[in-house]
Amino acid sequence: MFEYTDYHTVFPAGAQVPYDRKRIHEIEARRKDLGGQLFMDRVLKALGISKNKIYPPKNDNGVKQLHQQICESNMSMHHKLSLLYYVLLDFDIVDGQASLSETFASASGMPQKYEIFMKGLWYMDCLAFSTALEYVAHPSLVPDFADDIVITLVQHSSDGDFDLALSYYHTVQPVLKSSKALELIFGAMAQTNVTEALLCSRTYPEYTRELLFRQLIAETLGSKSAQADELAFLPFDSLEEVWFEEYLSSGEGRNLKKAKDTLLVRKIASDRFGEIRTQRTSSQWGPVLEGIKQGIEGQFE
């Protein structure tokens, strides 16, 4: 039987402890970059170990103390193994190959889904988000810490490239619990594909849906992308038409730079669309709308 409570069974004699001054500085820098909290910190707190700065250990004795606290905690054995596995991933960097962590996972009988998830969180803490996504979005996992993962991926997107955040969201389809996570991922969606964002907003109850709809307008008109030009031509339903006009004519959106022009374009497009509505079949709407769009945009050049 694997004795995970024996320190040297988990951390073999001769294994080089990776927590020198440089490594600790790197971990602390990444903690700061992640808003002051690593995913390891979140896991420790969720499992009842809330003592500050327990990770990273400062020296050999610190590793022993961390091992002892994990073993003496009230959490399940699988959770204890998961935390120890995360620490061993640090050891693998010094060892130069993924040997200690893999040996531990195999010998301890650690469930594979725990191994996948903790490795994903470890890569998140290393800011290796593309690699982390291969693990945290694995179909075998329950989407734990989904809000935190979404927030992190959106906030660390560069140059408006939200592919990783949106890939995680669409693959995992988590039920987000915080308004911050929802606002961030919806904002990313709005800046990437306005039609997709509109359809997404319709999946929420009316109050939240209206808030997201307003955010959609603000995000698209406030951006410099082509998404702003598409806003006036989206297929709004009757409720959205009311929200659209109210927000841009008398609501907070009236101060947006393109508010008046967008309202005018929407009205002209709607009027022209109505005039030819009975003259076209459904298969011809695409070319018609594109012609209207090009004609209206020409008036504002």
Side-chain angles (χ1 to χ4, degrees):
M1 181 177 178
F2 185 82
E3 294 292 341
Y4 69 89
T5 57
D6 178 66
Y7 177 80
H8 288 296
T9 299
V10 179
F11 304 98
Q16 184 177 347
V17 175
Y19 305 111
D20 56 17
R21 182 176 299 179
K22 179 182 178 181
R23 177 67 176 170
I24 292 173
H25 177 75
E26 291 174 350
I27 293 174
E28 291 295 349
R30 292 199 297 268
R31 175 180 274 131
K32 183 178 180 180
D33 197 25
L34 290 169
Q37 194 174 31
L38 295 166
F39 281 89
M40 179 58 158
D41 299 330
R42 294 182 172 95
V43 175
L44 287 167
K45 183 178 180 180
L47 296 178
I49 301 180
S50 56
K51 183 179 179 181
N52 292 331
K53 301 298 183 180
I54 191 175
Y55 176 86
K58 299 299 185 289
N59 47 41
D60 294 23
N61 190 51
V63 178
K64 293 179 181 178
Q65 291 178 358
L66 177 57
H67 173 263
Q68 183 179 0
Q69 287 192 45
I70 292 173
C71 292
E72 293 178 353
S73 69
N74 294 322
M75 68 184 75
S76 70
M77 184 181 71
H78 288 158
H79 287 145
K80 293 177 182 179
L81 296 177
S82 297
L83 293 175
L84 295 173
Y85 174 77
Y86 180 103
V87 176
L88 285 169
L89 289 171
D90 287 338
F91 275 73
D92 288 345
I93 292 179
V94 177
D95 188 57
Q97 56 183 342
S99 57
L100 291 180
S101 63
E102 290 182 0
T103 299
F104 173 82
S106 177
S108 65
M110 179 180 172
Q112 188 176 31
K113 65 179 181 179
Y114 286 86
E115 179 181 351
I116 293 171
F117 186 56
M118 293 307 293
K119 184 173 286 189
L121 296 186
W122 185 81
Y123 277 117
M124 289 291 294
D125 284 340
C126 290
L127 309 184
F129 302 121
S130 181
T131 304
L133 189 62
E134 298 175 17
Y135 295 93
V136 296
H138 196 276
S140 68
L141 301 180
V142 175
D144 289 327
F145 300 106
D147 287 61
D148 297 311
I149 292 173
V150 164
I151 291 170
T152 299
L153 292 177
V154 174
Q155 291 183 333
H156 287 78
S157 298
S158 59
D159 300 324
D161 182 1
F162 300 106
D163 282 354
L164 291 179
L166 292 173
S167 293
Y168 174 78
Y169 180 76
H170 290 311
T171 301
V172 177
Q173 297 183 339
V175 177
L176 299 178
K177 301 175 183 178
S178 70
S179 58
K180 181 178 181 180
L182 178 57
E183 289 172 6
L184 284 175
I185 195 65
F186 187 78
M189 202 178 298
Q191 294 180 53
T192 305
N193 188 319
V194 291
T195 301
E196 179 183 62
L198 176 65
L199 296 177
C200 176
S201 70
R202 291 175 178 174
T203 64
Y204 289 87
E206 185 171 320
Y207 176 75
T208 302
R209 177 187 171 188
E210 183 177 358
L211 291 177
L212 293 176
F213 184 80
R214 292 177 182 177
Q215 183 184 350
L216 172 62
I217 299 173
E219 293 279 359
T220 52
L221 293 188
S223 70
K224 296 180 181 180
S225 68
Q227 303 297 317
D229 298 329
E230 298 179 25
L231 181 64
F233 300 91
L234 290 177
F236 298 151
D237 62 21
S238 58
L239 193 57
E240 291 160 347
E241 290 286 3
V242 173
W243 292 339
F244 183 78
E245 184 169 352
E246 287 181 348
Y247 183 68
L248 290 181
S249 61
S250 58
E252 295 179 2
R254 68 185 184 279
N255 296 319
L256 292 171
K257 185 177 180 180
K258 300 178 182 179
K260 292 182 179 179
D261 286 353
T262 303
L263 273 172
L264 180 57
V265 170
R266 180 73 183 180
K267 178 174 174 47
I268 295 174
S270 298
D271 289 346
R272 291 190 180 183
F273 184 80
E275 290 175 3
I276 61 174
R277 189 182 185 97
T278 59
Q279 303 175 24
R280 300 284 178 174
T281 65
S282 59
S283 63
Q284 295 171 306
W285 288 130
V288 170
L289 286 176
E290 184 59 30
I292 292 174
K293 179 179 176 182
Q294 292 177 0
I296 292 173
E297 289 174 345
Q299 299 180 37
F300 293 93
E301 292 181 350

PDB file of all heavy atoms in Angstrom, residues 69-98:
ATOM      1  N   GLN A  69       0.982  19.308   6.946  1.00  0.00           N
ATOM      2  CA  GLN A  69      -0.320  19.978   7.041  1.00  0.00           C
ATOM      3  C   GLN A  69      -1.342  19.327   6.122  1.00  0.00           C
ATOM      4  O   GLN A  69      -2.515  19.182   6.476  1.00  0.00           O
ATOM      5  CB  GLN A  69      -0.177  21.458   6.702  1.00  0.00           C
ATOM      6  CG  GLN A  69       0.520  22.265   7.780  1.00  0.00           C
ATOM      7  CD  GLN A  69       0.377  23.752   7.552  1.00  0.00           C
ATOM      8  OE1 GLN A  69      -0.703  24.238   7.251  1.00  0.00           O
ATOM      9  NE2 GLN A  69       1.478  24.472   7.687  1.00  0.00           N
ATOM     10  N   ILE A  70      -0.901  18.941   4.945  1.00  0.00           N
ATOM     11  CA  ILE A  70      -1.806  18.273   4.010  1.00  0.00           C
ATOM     12  C   ILE A  70      -2.256  16.920   4.575  1.00  0.00           C
ATOM     13  O   ILE A  70      -3.452  16.597   4.568  1.00  0.00           O
ATOM     14  CB  ILE A  70      -1.126  18.088   2.635  1.00  0.00           C
ATOM     15  CG1 ILE A  70      -0.922  19.451   1.956  1.00  0.00           C
ATOM     16  CG2 ILE A  70      -1.965  17.172   1.733  1.00  0.00           C
ATOM     17  CD1 ILE A  70      -0.103  19.388   0.676  1.00  0.00           C
ATOM     18  N   CYS A  71      -1.316  16.159   5.058  1.00  0.00           N
ATOM     19  CA  CYS A  71      -1.625  14.821   5.578  1.00  0.00           C
ATOM     20  C   CYS A  71      -2.514  14.872   6.817  1.00  0.00           C
ATOM     21  O   CYS A  71      -3.344  13.981   7.033  1.00  0.00           O
ATOM     22  CB  CYS A  71      -0.342  14.059   5.887  1.00  0.00           C
ATOM     23  SG  CYS A  71       0.623  13.605   4.424  1.00  0.00           S
ATOM     24  N   GLU A  72      -2.359  15.887   7.655  1.00  0.00           N
ATOM     25  CA  GLU A  72      -3.113  15.985   8.899  1.00  0.00           C
ATOM     26  C   GLU A  72      -4.451  16.704   8.735  1.00  0.00           C
ATOM     27  O   GLU A  72      -5.223  16.808   9.693  1.00  0.00           O
ATOM     28  CB  GLU A  72      -2.278  16.711   9.956  1.00  0.00           C
ATOM     29  CG  GLU A  72      -1.054  15.914  10.404  1.00  0.00           C
ATOM     30  CD  GLU A  72      -0.216  16.659  11.423  1.00  0.00           C
ATOM     31  OE1 GLU A  72      -0.519  17.855  11.680  1.00  0.00           O
ATOM     32  OE2 GLU A  72       0.733  16.063  11.976  1.00  0.00           O
ATOM     33  N   SER A  73      -4.734  17.181   7.551  1.00  0.00           N
ATOM     34  CA  SER A  73      -5.995  17.893   7.318  1.00  0.00           C
ATOM     35  C   SER A  73      -7.167  16.920   7.265  1.00  0.00           C
ATOM     36  O   SER A  73      -6.981  15.699   7.194  1.00  0.00           O
ATOM     37  CB  SER A  73      -5.914  18.669   6.000  1.00  0.00           C
ATOM     38  OG  SER A  73      -5.889  17.771   4.900  1.00  0.00           O
ATOM     39  N   ASN A  74      -8.378  17.459   7.262  1.00  0.00           N
ATOM     40  CA  ASN A  74      -9.595  16.633   7.251  1.00  0.00           C
ATOM     41  C   ASN A  74     -10.118  16.337   5.844  1.00  0.00           C
ATOM     42  O   ASN A  74     -11.188  15.756   5.704  1.00  0.00           O
ATOM     43  CB  ASN A  74     -10.697  17.317   8.067  1.00  0.00           C
ATOM     44  CG  ASN A  74     -10.348  17.398   9.545  1.00  0.00           C
ATOM     45  OD1 ASN A  74      -9.760  16.473  10.100  1.00  0.00           O
ATOM     46  ND2 ASN A  74     -10.710  18.509  10.171  1.00  0.00           N
ATOM     47  N   MET A  75      -9.391  16.747   4.835  1.00  0.00           N
ATOM     48  CA  MET A  75      -9.871  16.535   3.468  1.00  0.00           C
ATOM     49  C   MET A  75      -9.752  15.064   3.066  1.00  0.00           C
ATOM     50  O   MET A  75      -9.083  14.270   3.747  1.00  0.00           O
ATOM     51  CB  MET A  75      -9.067  17.412   2.499  1.00  0.00           C
ATOM     52  CG  MET A  75      -7.620  17.013   2.339  1.00  0.00           C
ATOM     53  SD  MET A  75      -6.661  18.130   1.285  1.00  0.00           S
ATOM     54  CE  MET A  75      -6.429  19.537   2.363  1.00  0.00           C
ATOM     55  N   SER A  76     -10.394  14.720   1.966  1.00  0.00           N
ATOM     56  CA  SER A  76     -10.351  13.339   1.489  1.00  0.00           C
ATOM     57  C   SER A  76      -8.951  12.985   1.006  1.00  0.00           C
ATOM     58  O   SER A  76      -8.126  13.858   0.707  1.00  0.00           O
ATOM     59  CB  SER A  76     -11.341  13.150   0.334  1.00  0.00           C
ATOM     60  OG  SER A  76     -10.884  13.834  -0.828  1.00  0.00           O
ATOM     61  N   MET A  77      -8.676  11.687   0.935  1.00  0.00           N
ATOM     62  CA  MET A  77      -7.366  11.235   0.499  1.00  0.00           C
ATOM     63  C   MET A  77      -7.074  11.697  -0.928  1.00  0.00           C
ATOM     64  O   MET A  77      -5.952  12.083  -1.247  1.00  0.00           O
ATOM     65  CB  MET A  77      -7.272   9.708   0.567  1.00  0.00           C
ATOM     66  CG  MET A  77      -5.886   9.173   0.203  1.00  0.00           C
ATOM     67  SD  MET A  77      -5.765   7.378   0.241  1.00  0.00           S
ATOM     68  CE  MET A  77      -6.755   6.945  -1.197  1.00  0.00           C
ATOM     69  N   HIS A  78      -8.081  11.666  -1.794  1.00  0.00           N
ATOM     70  CA  HIS A  78      -7.877  12.070  -3.181  1.00  0.00           C
ATOM     71  C   HIS A  78      -7.466  13.538  -3.265  1.00  0.00           C
ATOM     72  O   HIS A  78      -6.621  13.909  -4.097  1.00  0.00           O
ATOM     73  CB  HIS A  78      -9.150  11.836  -3.999  1.00  0.00           C
ATOM     74  CG  HIS A  78      -9.432  10.396  -4.249  1.00  0.00           C
ATOM     75  ND1 HIS A  78     -10.694   9.924  -4.560  1.00  0.00           N
ATOM     76  CD2 HIS A  78      -8.613   9.312  -4.227  1.00  0.00           C
ATOM     77  CE1 HIS A  78     -10.634   8.613  -4.716  1.00  0.00           C
ATOM     78  NE2 HIS A  78      -9.391   8.217  -4.524  1.00  0.00           N
ATOM     79  N   HIS A  79      -8.032  14.367  -2.408  1.00  0.00           N
ATOM     80  CA  HIS A  79      -7.653  15.778  -2.400  1.00  0.00           C
ATOM     81  C   HIS A  79      -6.228  15.951  -1.872  1.00  0.00           C
ATOM     82  O   HIS A  79      -5.472  16.788  -2.361  1.00  0.00           O
ATOM     83  CB  HIS A  79      -8.646  16.585  -1.565  1.00  0.00           C
ATOM     84  CG  HIS A  79      -9.971  16.768  -2.224  1.00  0.00           C
ATOM     85  ND1 HIS A  79     -11.168  16.806  -1.536  1.00  0.00           N
ATOM     86  CD2 HIS A  79     -10.302  16.913  -3.545  1.00  0.00           C
ATOM     87  CE1 HIS A  79     -12.163  16.966  -2.380  1.00  0.00           C
ATOM     88  NE2 HIS A  79     -11.665  17.034  -3.606  1.00  0.00           N
ATOM     89  N   LYS A  80      -5.866  15.190  -0.875  1.00  0.00           N
ATOM     90  CA  LYS A  80      -4.499  15.250  -0.354  1.00  0.00           C
ATOM     91  C   LYS A  80      -3.496  14.849  -1.442  1.00  0.00           C
ATOM     92  O   LYS A  80      -2.463  15.502  -1.623  1.00  0.00           O
ATOM     93  CB  LYS A  80      -4.351  14.325   0.857  1.00  0.00           C
ATOM     94  CG  LYS A  80      -5.158  14.760   2.075  1.00  0.00           C
ATOM     95  CD  LYS A  80      -5.028  13.743   3.215  1.00  0.00           C
ATOM     96  CE  LYS A  80      -5.869  14.165   4.413  1.00  0.00           C
ATOM     97  NZ  LYS A  80      -5.779  13.196   5.537  1.00  0.00           N
ATOM     98  N   LEU A  81      -3.815  13.776  -2.145  1.00  0.00           N
ATOM     99  CA  LEU A  81      -2.941  13.330  -3.227  1.00  0.00           C
ATOM    100  C   LEU A  81      -2.820  14.399  -4.309  1.00  0.00           C
ATOM    101  O   LEU A  81      -1.742  14.605  -4.881  1.00  0.00           O
ATOM    102  CB  LEU A  81      -3.472  12.033  -3.831  1.00  0.00           C
ATOM    103  CG  LEU A  81      -3.505  10.801  -2.913  1.00  0.00           C
ATOM    104  CD1 LEU A  81      -4.114   9.611  -3.640  1.00  0.00           C
ATOM    105  CD2 LEU A  81      -2.109  10.460  -2.395  1.00  0.00           C
ATOM    106  N   SER A  82      -3.920  15.084  -4.567  1.00  0.00           N
ATOM    107  CA  SER A  82      -3.922  16.126  -5.600  1.00  0.00           C
ATOM    108  C   SER A  82      -2.977  17.263  -5.249  1.00  0.00           C
ATOM    109  O   SER A  82      -2.226  17.766  -6.100  1.00  0.00           O
ATOM    110  CB  SER A  82      -5.341  16.678  -5.785  1.00  0.00           C
ATOM    111  OG  SER A  82      -6.223  15.676  -6.240  1.00  0.00           O
ATOM    112  N   LEU A  83      -2.999  17.691  -3.990  1.00  0.00           N
ATOM    113  CA  LEU A  83      -2.119  18.775  -3.554  1.00  0.00           C
ATOM    114  C   LEU A  83      -0.649  18.358  -3.609  1.00  0.00           C
ATOM    115  O   LEU A  83       0.216  19.125  -4.051  1.00  0.00           O
ATOM    116  CB  LEU A  83      -2.488  19.208  -2.135  1.00  0.00           C
ATOM    117  CG  LEU A  83      -3.857  19.882  -1.978  1.00  0.00           C
ATOM    118  CD1 LEU A  83      -4.162  20.145  -0.506  1.00  0.00           C
ATOM    119  CD2 LEU A  83      -3.910  21.187  -2.767  1.00  0.00           C
ATOM    120  N   LEU A  84      -0.390  17.142  -3.175  1.00  0.00           N
ATOM    121  CA  LEU A  84       0.991  16.653  -3.222  1.00  0.00           C
ATOM    122  C   LEU A  84       1.468  16.506  -4.667  1.00  0.00           C
ATOM    123  O   LEU A  84       2.630  16.795  -4.990  1.00  0.00           O
ATOM    124  CB  LEU A  84       1.098  15.313  -2.489  1.00  0.00           C
ATOM    125  CG  LEU A  84       0.824  15.358  -0.982  1.00  0.00           C
ATOM    126  CD1 LEU A  84       0.782  13.945  -0.400  1.00  0.00           C
ATOM    127  CD2 LEU A  84       1.886  16.200  -0.267  1.00  0.00           C
ATOM    128  N   TYR A  85       0.579  16.095  -5.534  1.00  0.00           N
ATOM    129  CA  TYR A  85       0.901  15.968  -6.959  1.00  0.00           C
ATOM    130  C   TYR A  85       1.280  17.336  -7.549  1.00  0.00           C
ATOM    131  O   TYR A  85       2.250  17.439  -8.313  1.00  0.00           O
ATOM    132  CB  TYR A  85      -0.291  15.375  -7.701  1.00  0.00           C
ATOM    133  CG  TYR A  85      -0.130  15.325  -9.201  1.00  0.00           C
ATOM    134  CD1 TYR A  85       0.665  14.347  -9.797  1.00  0.00           C
ATOM    135  CD2 TYR A  85      -0.781  16.247 -10.026  1.00  0.00           C
ATOM    136  CE1 TYR A  85       0.812  14.290 -11.182  1.00  0.00           C
ATOM    137  CE2 TYR A  85      -0.637  16.199 -11.403  1.00  0.00           C
ATOM    138  CZ  TYR A  85       0.161  15.231 -11.979  1.00  0.00           C
ATOM    139  OH  TYR A  85       0.311  15.175 -13.340  1.00  0.00           O
ATOM    140  N   TYR A  86       0.532  18.361  -7.187  1.00  0.00           N
ATOM    141  CA  TYR A  86       0.824  19.719  -7.668  1.00  0.00           C
ATOM    142  C   TYR A  86       2.251  20.117  -7.265  1.00  0.00           C
ATOM    143  O   TYR A  86       3.016  20.654  -8.078  1.00  0.00           O
ATOM    144  CB  TYR A  86      -0.186  20.706  -7.094  1.00  0.00           C
ATOM    145  CG  TYR A  86       0.016  22.149  -7.511  1.00  0.00           C
ATOM    146  CD1 TYR A  86      -0.798  22.732  -8.477  1.00  0.00           C
ATOM    147  CD2 TYR A  86       1.007  22.938  -6.937  1.00  0.00           C
ATOM    148  CE1 TYR A  86      -0.622  24.062  -8.864  1.00  0.00           C
ATOM    149  CE2 TYR A  86       1.203  24.248  -7.310  1.00  0.00           C
ATOM    150  CZ  TYR A  86       0.387  24.811  -8.271  1.00  0.00           C
ATOM    151  OH  TYR A  86       0.573  26.129  -8.648  1.00  0.00           O
ATOM    152  N   VAL A  87       2.613  19.870  -6.003  1.00  0.00           N
ATOM    153  CA  VAL A  87       3.951  20.215  -5.519  1.00  0.00           C
ATOM    154  C   VAL A  87       5.019  19.444  -6.293  1.00  0.00           C
ATOM    155  O   VAL A  87       6.070  19.990  -6.660  1.00  0.00           O
ATOM    156  CB  VAL A  87       4.074  19.939  -4.004  1.00  0.00           C
ATOM    157  CG1 VAL A  87       5.501  20.199  -3.529  1.00  0.00           C
ATOM    158  CG2 VAL A  87       3.090  20.811  -3.230  1.00  0.00           C
ATOM    159  N   LEU A  88       4.747  18.191  -6.584  1.00  0.00           N
ATOM    160  CA  LEU A  88       5.714  17.377  -7.318  1.00  0.00           C
ATOM    161  C   LEU A  88       5.916  17.872  -8.748  1.00  0.00           C
ATOM    162  O   LEU A  88       6.975  17.635  -9.344  1.00  0.00           O
ATOM    163  CB  LEU A  88       5.276  15.917  -7.322  1.00  0.00           C
ATOM    164  CG  LEU A  88       5.484  15.181  -5.992  1.00  0.00           C
ATOM    165  CD1 LEU A  88       4.781  13.831  -6.006  1.00  0.00           C
ATOM    166  CD2 LEU A  88       6.976  15.006  -5.692  1.00  0.00           C
ATOM    167  N   LEU A  89       4.908  18.548  -9.308  1.00  0.00           N
ATOM    168  CA  LEU A  89       5.093  19.141 -10.633  1.00  0.00           C
ATOM    169  C   LEU A  89       6.189  20.205 -10.600  1.00  0.00           C
ATOM    170  O   LEU A  89       6.921  20.385 -11.579  1.00  0.00           O
ATOM    171  CB  LEU A  89       3.773  19.754 -11.128  1.00  0.00           C
ATOM    172  CG  LEU A  89       2.683  18.752 -11.525  1.00  0.00           C
ATOM    173  CD1 LEU A  89       1.352  19.472 -11.774  1.00  0.00           C
ATOM    174  CD2 LEU A  89       3.096  17.956 -12.767  1.00  0.00           C
ATOM    175  N   ASP A  90       6.322  20.885  -9.464  1.00  0.00           N
ATOM    176  CA  ASP A  90       7.431  21.826  -9.297  1.00  0.00           C
ATOM    177  C   ASP A  90       8.762  21.091  -9.269  1.00  0.00           C
ATOM    178  O   ASP A  90       9.756  21.546  -9.839  1.00  0.00           O
ATOM    179  CB  ASP A  90       7.265  22.624  -8.001  1.00  0.00           C
ATOM    180  CG  ASP A  90       6.162  23.674  -8.078  1.00  0.00           C
ATOM    181  OD1 ASP A  90       5.804  24.076  -9.202  1.00  0.00           O
ATOM    182  OD2 ASP A  90       5.675  24.106  -7.017  1.00  0.00           O
ATOM    183  N   PHE A  91       8.773  19.946  -8.599  1.00  0.00           N
ATOM    184  CA  PHE A  91      10.000  19.151  -8.515  1.00  0.00           C
ATOM    185  C   PHE A  91      10.421  18.663  -9.899  1.00  0.00           C
ATOM    186  O   PHE A  91      11.611  18.538 -10.181  1.00  0.00           O
ATOM    187  CB  PHE A  91       9.790  17.953  -7.584  1.00  0.00           C
ATOM    188  CG  PHE A  91      10.007  18.264  -6.128  1.00  0.00           C
ATOM    189  CD1 PHE A  91       9.081  19.024  -5.419  1.00  0.00           C
ATOM    190  CD2 PHE A  91      11.132  17.799  -5.464  1.00  0.00           C
ATOM    191  CE1 PHE A  91       9.269  19.301  -4.078  1.00  0.00           C
ATOM    192  CE2 PHE A  91      11.337  18.073  -4.119  1.00  0.00           C
ATOM    193  CZ  PHE A  91      10.403  18.835  -3.421  1.00  0.00           C
ATOM    194  N   ASP A  92       9.449  18.375 -10.764  1.00  0.00           N
ATOM    195  CA  ASP A  92       9.764  17.872 -12.101  1.00  0.00           C
ATOM    196  C   ASP A  92      10.581  18.876 -12.905  1.00  0.00           C
ATOM    197  O   ASP A  92      11.386  18.486 -13.761  1.00  0.00           O
ATOM    198  CB  ASP A  92       8.479  17.553 -12.872  1.00  0.00           C
ATOM    199  CG  ASP A  92       7.786  16.307 -12.353  1.00  0.00           C
ATOM    200  OD1 ASP A  92       8.416  15.541 -11.600  1.00  0.00           O
ATOM    201  OD2 ASP A  92       6.610  16.103 -12.698  1.00  0.00           O
ATOM    202  N   ILE A  93      10.374  20.165 -12.654  1.00  0.00           N
ATOM    203  CA  ILE A  93      11.114  21.193 -13.396  1.00  0.00           C
ATOM    204  C   ILE A  93      12.609  21.074 -13.121  1.00  0.00           C
ATOM    205  O   ILE A  93      13.438  21.161 -14.025  1.00  0.00           O
ATOM    206  CB  ILE A  93      10.609  22.599 -13.007  1.00  0.00           C
ATOM    207  CG1 ILE A  93       9.174  22.804 -13.506  1.00  0.00           C
ATOM    208  CG2 ILE A  93      11.516  23.677 -13.589  1.00  0.00           C
ATOM    209  CD1 ILE A  93       8.591  24.145 -13.154  1.00  0.00           C
ATOM    210  N   VAL A  94      12.953  20.854 -11.868  1.00  0.00           N
ATOM    211  CA  VAL A  94      14.364  20.713 -11.486  1.00  0.00           C
ATOM    212  C   VAL A  94      14.920  19.390 -11.979  1.00  0.00           C
ATOM    213  O   VAL A  94      16.053  19.302 -12.466  1.00  0.00           O
ATOM    214  CB  VAL A  94      14.524  20.806  -9.952  1.00  0.00           C
ATOM    215  CG1 VAL A  94      15.979  20.581  -9.552  1.00  0.00           C
ATOM    216  CG2 VAL A  94      14.036  22.160  -9.460  1.00  0.00           C
ATOM    217  N   ASP A  95      14.089  18.364 -11.899  1.00  0.00           N
ATOM    218  CA  ASP A  95      14.517  17.026 -12.317  1.00  0.00           C
ATOM    219  C   ASP A  95      14.736  16.957 -13.824  1.00  0.00           C
ATOM    220  O   ASP A  95      15.503  16.138 -14.315  1.00  0.00           O
ATOM    221  CB  ASP A  95      13.459  15.999 -11.886  1.00  0.00           C
ATOM    222  CG  ASP A  95      13.926  14.571 -12.112  1.00  0.00           C
ATOM    223  OD1 ASP A  95      14.981  14.211 -11.580  1.00  0.00           O
ATOM    224  OD2 ASP A  95      13.223  13.838 -12.832  1.00  0.00           O
ATOM    225  N   GLY A  96      14.033  17.838 -14.551  1.00  0.00           N
ATOM    226  CA  GLY A  96      14.221  17.896 -15.997  1.00  0.00           C
ATOM    227  C   GLY A  96      13.297  16.999 -16.781  1.00  0.00           C
ATOM    228  O   GLY A  96      13.292  17.012 -18.006  1.00  0.00           O
ATOM    229  N   GLN A  97      12.509  16.200 -16.100  1.00  0.00           N
ATOM    230  CA  GLN A  97      11.546  15.348 -16.782  1.00  0.00           C
ATOM    231  C   GLN A  97      10.393  15.038 -15.833  1.00  0.00           C
ATOM    232  O   GLN A  97      10.537  15.083 -14.619  1.00  0.00           O
ATOM    233  CB  GLN A  97      12.203  14.048 -17.245  1.00  0.00           C
ATOM    234  CG  GLN A  97      12.882  13.268 -16.119  1.00  0.00           C
ATOM    235  CD  GLN A  97      13.584  12.038 -16.640  1.00  0.00           C
ATOM    236  OE1 GLN A  97      13.313  11.575 -17.728  1.00  0.00           O
ATOM    237  NE2 GLN A  97      14.492  11.489 -15.834  1.00  0.00           N
ATOM    238  N   ALA A  98       9.228  14.781 -16.411  1.00  0.00           N
ATOM    239  CA  ALA A  98       8.041  14.528 -15.594  1.00  0.00           C
ATOM    240  C   ALA A  98       8.093  13.124 -15.022  1.00  0.00           C
ATOM    241  O   ALA A  98       7.400  12.214 -15.475  1.00  0.00           O
ATOM    242  CB  ALA A  98       6.777  14.725 -16.437  1.00  0.00           C
TER     243      ALA A  98
END
